[in-house]
Amino acid sequence: MELSDRKKQILKAIIGDYIRTAEPIGSKTLAARPELSFSSATIRNEMSELEDLGYLEKPHTSAGRIPSPLGYRLYVDELMSTPEQLEELGTDQLMQIKVRELDRLIQEVGKLITNLTEYTSVTSTPVLQRTLLRQFEIVPIDQTSFVLVVVPETGSVRSKMVHTVSGVSKDEVELLAYVLNQTLTGIPLSSITTERFDIVRRAAGLSALLGPIAEYMAELIESFGTQQVFLEGESKLLRFPEYRDIQKAQELLDYLGEDSGKLIPIQKKIDGVQIMIGPENGSSALSNASMIYAKYDIGEIGQGVIGIVGPTRMDYAKLSAQLAGFAKGLNRLIAQTFLDEYK
Amino acid sequence: MELSDRKKQILKAIIGDYIRTAEPIGSKTLAARPELSFSSATIRNEMSELEDLGYLEKPHTSAGRIPSPLGYRLYVDELMSTPEQLEELGTDQLMQIKVRELDRLIQEVGKLITNLTEYTSVTSTPVLQRTLLRQFEIVPIDQTSFVLVVVPETGSVRSKMVHTVSGVSKDEVELLAYVLNQTLTGIPLSSITTERFDIVRRAAGLSALLGPIAEYMAELIESFGTQQVFLEGESKLLRFPEYRDIQKAQELLDYLGEDSGKLIPIQKKIDGVQIMIGPENGSSALSNASMIYAKYDIGEIGQGVIGIVGPTRMDYAKLSAQLAGFAKGLNRLIAQTFLDEYK
DNA sequence: ACTTAGCACTCAAACATATGGAGTGCTAAC
DNA sequence: GTTAGCACTCCATATGTTTGAGTGCTAAGT
């Protein structure tokens, strides 16, 4: 059922006011607004119906109304006026970030988001599973030590030292590297496993003593698929009146700190900005909190997420515009920092 | 001036009780203790003197006494009874940690400390500046791309991809690697700079087009000298009555989150366990908080720090024993995980 | 059939005031 | 030097009381 225009107008006014003041909004306050030229009694009737429909809530009988999660949902989907020009806040500061490691760069971005928005931020490094293996190198160091180097088609090189048992000849290792490069390059990193490695090894008639190399390589390749999540500015939550009650604050902070991984939404289509309101987040610890996410791209090959967490009462319009702005800036920053690596 | 035994006994009793209850301790409560067989009046007199000497404080006139930072200091230095057997809490869980990257391992240890002690933890990766360069490799990938690999004498290999301008020949790069290995191996990583690199290059009569390689190498080597600090379990602070006041909690959490680096004490001799009480921490944000640190060793070549943060009222005896236990366990864990790398 | 003025009613928040009790400091006796 | 006794302080808690914003409902107006 579609709401009447007047109901929408009232709901929008309530949410707008409540976002600013954090106080329940009464009919008289609303009636004083120039654009709502009805009497407070009329508005009261409308509010009562909006409550029946589930868009508003009453903290107690003789208080004004506050928006319910459903109310916020309607607000973000239909009612709120998205700022025309993308928030350019902080783009210059963003472009100042000079860090060359992707993970630390994302962490810095998280700090910047926290500082500029005054909200707790959640950021994730991208998952790069889809990347193809470009080259694989085994660099001999001494009799039993080798450095494995994995060069992906796009993204950063990673390396690891491995120690074999003595009895593995340098030649054999070199041959292994050659065979691997012949057979395994050009395939997705995610499809390279210890087993596959061993098949190749056996096919080439090479010693089983090369086992440790397989194990370490698997570990190294796995690390391309792992995603890091950074949480910054937890303390920003405490400035909100909704967390005046230490219990609530602690519950939320506990949840956030415990395993940040679960905060990142399943990588379904987040296009532009995604808003999760209260219970939509799933976890009961988040039932009074909202999150706003934007995705950023790392070249063609992966995407990560930046976001903020706060009470359900937040300025969704402004914050999602800001976050979209950050994401856009971050795309540029990544392109420029890793110009050569992620084409 | 040395305190009388009776004063020490009373001070110890007050601190012991206060650590448990967080309530100011009165003379009557103390007089009820079997080991203090004096009347409450006598104890009152003693308490009054202890206050004059700066070991106790009064929240207000008609309340009991609480320990001052100076009181705690005396307590940890002389009064408290250190548990005989080192706390073995969590050693098995510690040894379960299977992470092979040092930084992530330390982070996991931080989480474990938080979970077992219920205090916020601060952990740092060790600084490895003193390590010597063992080998330096440049692996060609294509015409203009190379992977730099730095192998230190002890610790993990690191690598980075570098793109040169076209016009740099593969032979030249190989020659450069050879010259570098001839001249720079065996010296401390910290003494390798872009300048030094360039001197070597020029001496060998090699092209200035190799500049980017110098730049990236410097960056790579710098990363050995950087220290990461992890803060875990911030929310644990909120369970203490001293942070019932959101203002205080926020101030402290703000400070902790802002730049964790400053939490790590200057690497002076922390032998065993170091306790910093309230104002001793320097920063005003920490004037109501205490920290306990223990150092751990990474082979012979470096040391890092694990610690906890909490209100000045904490069980110094128990917690420092626990922390010492963790440090000991961590030493073992590192030795076993990186057996080959850090001899 | 919608809108609105009016009014009784509700309830939290703010303020005022009393009460209890834990604790101190001081004095005087032991 | 120690201790019993006592007046005094001050917080914490409980108990009204008041205030005012806000609601729901009814009845009259358009």
Side-chain angles (χ1 to χ4, degrees):
Chain A
M1 188 208 63
E2 184 69 3
L3 293 183
S4 72
D5 276 358
R6 192 168 69 182
K7 280 205 179 56
K8 286 185 182 173
Q9 207 177 6
I10 290 174
L11 183 58
K12 182 175 174 182
I14 291 176
I15 296 184
D17 271 17
Y18 185 66
I19 283 173
R20 277 189 306 102
T21 63
E23 300 284 322
I25 313 298
S27 54
K28 228 153 92 186
T29 325
L30 288 171
R33 290 182 153 234
E35 79 270 25
L36 293 177
S37 48
F38 321 99
S39 77
S40 66
T42 308
I43 293 177
R44 268 202 297 286
N45 290 332
E46 294 284 55
M47 284 165 87
S48 174
E49 287 177 44
L50 281 168
E51 188 184 349
D52 292 343
L53 293 168
Y55 296 107
L56 293 178
E57 284 170 1
K58 257 194 308 205
H60 59 263
T61 4
S62 72
R65 301 296 206 298
I66 61 173
S68 71
L70 193 64
Y72 283 122
R73 175 44 65 196
L74 187 70
Y75 177 76
V76 304
D77 285 346
E78 296 186 35
L79 272 37
M80 77 183 181
S81 31
T82 324
E84 290 304 313
Q85 93 303 19
L86 215 54
E87 279 277 354
E88 278 303 317
L89 178 66
T91 317
D92 8 330
Q93 281 168 78
L94 189 64
M95 299 317 272
Q96 296 293 321
I97 298 179
K98 286 274 156 47
V99 184
R100 211 93 69 117
E101 290 102 279
L102 184 58
D103 51 354
R104 293 215 22 247
L105 184 143
I106 297 301
Q107 186 171 20
E108 287 302 316
V109 171
K111 283 186 181 163
L112 184 63
I113 292 175
T114 274
N115 285 335
L116 293 177
T117 61
E118 293 286 313
Y119 276 77
T120 306
S121 73
V122 183
T123 49
S124 82
T125 57
V127 184
L128 298 177
Q129 281 279 27
R130 275 170 293 166
T131 315
L132 308 181
L133 175 64
R134 177 171 186 180
Q135 193 161 328
F136 181 74
E137 291 286 336
I138 307 183
V139 182
I141 302 300
D142 62 26
Q143 298 308 324
T144 58
S145 307
F146 302 88
V147 173
L148 308 185
V149 182
V150 171
V151 186
E153 204 57 63
T154 45
S156 310
V157 195
R158 300 194 190 184
S159 55
K160 206 170 188 116
M161 174 111 76
V162 55
H163 304 266
T164 59
V165 285
S166 59
V168 177
S169 81
K170 204 174 269 191
D171 286 351
E172 213 169 11
V173 171
E174 259 170 40
L175 183 55
L176 175 68
Y178 176 77
V179 175
L180 285 173
N181 275 313
Q182 288 301 312
T183 50
L184 294 182
T185 50
I187 68 170
L189 282 177
S190 54
S191 69
I192 304 178
T193 59
T194 321
E195 291 71 37
R196 187 147 181 190
F197 175 97
D198 266 336
I199 292 170
V200 173
R201 177 185 60 72
R202 232 173 292 133
L206 292 165
S207 162
L209 294 173
L210 295 169
I213 295 186
E215 191 192 317
Y216 273 73
M217 191 192 61
E219 216 174 89
L220 189 53
I221 282 176
E222 226 169 65
S223 80
F224 283 91
T226 56
Q227 180 182 39
Q228 275 181 281
V229 177
F230 303 104
L231 191 67
E232 294 286 339
E234 286 96 318
S235 65
K236 301 288 183 195
L237 283 174
L238 297 181
R239 76 191 168 94
F240 297 110
E242 19 276 277
Y243 299 112
R244 194 84 50 81
D245 175 10
I246 288 256
Q247 295 286 327
K248 289 212 175 111
Q250 196 183 351
E251 195 192 349
L252 180 55
L253 282 173
D254 264 350
Y255 183 81
L256 293 179
E258 173 180 300
D259 172 20
S260 320
K262 61 183 181 296
L263 297 176
I264 298 299
I266 330 298
Q267 296 291 62
K268 55 183 170 187
K269 288 267 169 351
I270 309 178
D271 250 340
V273 173
Q274 186 182 355
I275 297 177
M276 303 289 282
I277 298 163
E280 296 173 4
N281 285 294
S283 157
S284 76
L286 288 177
S287 62
N288 290 310
S290 286
M291 309 190 70
I292 305 182
Y293 291 108
K295 84 171 198 334
Y296 66 87
D297 295 303
I298 180 129
E300 306 270 291
I301 50 139
Q303 59 184 52
V305 154
I306 59 177
I308 58 169
V309 194
T312 44
R313 174 189 67 85
M314 53 161 86
D315 190 339
Y316 295 99
K318 184 173 130 202
L319 289 167
S320 46
Q322 283 184 352
L323 217 53
F326 284 126
K328 200 176 137 200
L330 181 53
N331 285 339
R332 282 218 332 265
L333 177 64
I334 287 177
Q336 119 182 2
T337 309
F338 301 106
L339 195 56
D340 344 288
E341 299 183 29
Y342 308 96
K343 47 309 248 334
Chain B
M1 189 208 62
E2 184 69 6
L3 292 183
S4 73
D5 276 359
R6 194 169 68 185
K7 280 205 179 59
K8 285 185 184 173
Q9 207 178 6
I10 290 175
L11 184 58
K12 182 175 174 181
I14 291 176
I15 296 184
D17 272 17
Y18 184 66
I19 283 173
R20 277 189 305 102
T21 63
E23 299 284 320
I25 312 298
S27 53
K28 229 154 91 185
T29 325
L30 289 172
R33 287 178 155 241
E35 79 271 23
L36 293 176
S37 49
F38 321 100
S39 77
S40 66
T42 309
I43 292 177
R44 269 203 295 285
N45 290 332
E46 294 285 54
M47 284 165 87
S48 172
E49 286 177 46
L50 281 169
E51 187 184 349
D52 292 342
L53 293 169
Y55 296 107
L56 292 178
E57 284 170 1
K58 256 195 308 207
H60 59 262
T61 6
S62 71
R65 301 296 206 301
I66 61 173
S68 71
L70 193 64
Y72 283 122
R73 176 43 65 194
L74 186 70
Y75 178 75
V76 305
D77 286 345
E78 296 185 35
L79 272 36
M80 75 183 182
S81 32
T82 323
E84 289 304 312
Q85 95 298 25
L86 216 53
E87 279 277 354
E88 278 302 317
L89 177 67
T91 316
D92 9 331
Q93 282 168 77
L94 189 64
M95 299 317 271
Q96 298 294 321
I97 298 179
K98 286 273 157 49
V99 184
R100 210 93 70 120
E101 289 101 279
L102 183 58
D103 51 355
R104 292 212 24 246
L105 184 141
I106 297 302
Q107 187 171 18
E108 287 302 316
V109 171
K111 283 185 182 163
L112 184 63
I113 293 176
T114 274
N115 285 335
L116 293 177
T117 62
E118 291 287 313
Y119 276 77
T120 306
S121 73
V122 184
T123 49
S124 82
T125 57
V127 184
L128 298 177
Q129 281 280 23
R130 275 170 293 167
T131 316
L132 309 181
L133 175 64
R134 177 172 186 180
Q135 192 162 328
F136 181 75
E137 290 286 337
I138 306 183
V139 181
I141 302 300
D142 61 27
Q143 299 306 325
T144 57
S145 308
F146 302 88
V147 173
L148 308 184
V149 182
V150 172
V151 186
E153 205 57 64
T154 45
S156 310
V157 195
R158 302 195 188 182
S159 55
K160 208 171 190 114
M161 174 112 77
V162 54
H163 304 267
T164 59
V165 285
S166 58
V168 177
S169 81
K170 206 174 266 193
D171 287 351
E172 214 169 12
V173 172
E174 262 171 38
L175 184 55
L176 175 68
Y178 177 78
V179 176
L180 286 174
N181 275 313
Q182 288 300 312
T183 51
L184 294 182
T185 50
I187 67 169
L189 282 177
S190 54
S191 70
I192 304 179
T193 58
T194 320
E195 292 70 38
R196 188 146 179 192
F197 176 97
D198 267 336
I199 293 170
V200 173
R201 178 186 58 72
R202 233 172 290 136
L206 291 165
S207 162
L209 294 174
L210 296 169
I213 295 186
E215 193 192 316
Y216 273 72
M217 191 192 60
E219 217 174 85
L220 190 53
I221 284 176
E222 228 168 65
S223 79
F224 283 92
T226 56
Q227 180 181 39
Q228 273 182 283
V229 178
F230 303 104
L231 191 66
E232 295 286 339
E234 286 97 318
S235 64
K236 301 288 184 195
L237 284 174
L238 297 181
R239 77 191 168 96
F240 298 110
E242 19 275 277
Y243 300 111
R244 195 86 49 81
D245 176 9
I246 287 258
Q247 294 285 326
K248 289 210 173 113
Q250 195 183 351
E251 195 191 349
L252 180 54
L253 282 172
D254 264 350
Y255 183 80
L256 293 179
E258 173 179 300
D259 171 20
S260 319
K262 62 184 179 301
L263 297 177
I264 298 300
I266 330 298
Q267 295 294 63
K268 57 183 168 185
K269 288 264 170 357
I270 309 179
D271 250 340
V273 173
Q274 186 182 355
I275 296 177
M276 303 288 283
I277 298 162
E280 296 173 4
N281 285 295
S283 157
S284 77
L286 288 177
S287 61
N288 291 310
S290 286
M291 309 190 69
I292 306 184
Y293 291 108
K295 84 172 199 329
Y296 66 88
D297 295 303
I298 179 132
E300 306 270 291
I301 50 138
Q303 58 184 53
V305 154
I306 58 177
I308 59 168
V309 195
T312 45
R313 174 189 67 84
M314 53 162 85
D315 190 340
Y316 295 100
K318 183 174 130 203
L319 289 167
S320 46
Q322 284 185 351
L323 217 52
F326 285 126
K328 200 176 137 199
L330 181 53
N331 284 339
R332 279 215 340 261
L333 177 63
I334 287 177
Q336 121 183 359
T337 309
F338 302 105
L339 197 55
D340 346 286
E341 300 184 27
Y342 308 96
K343 39 324 233 343

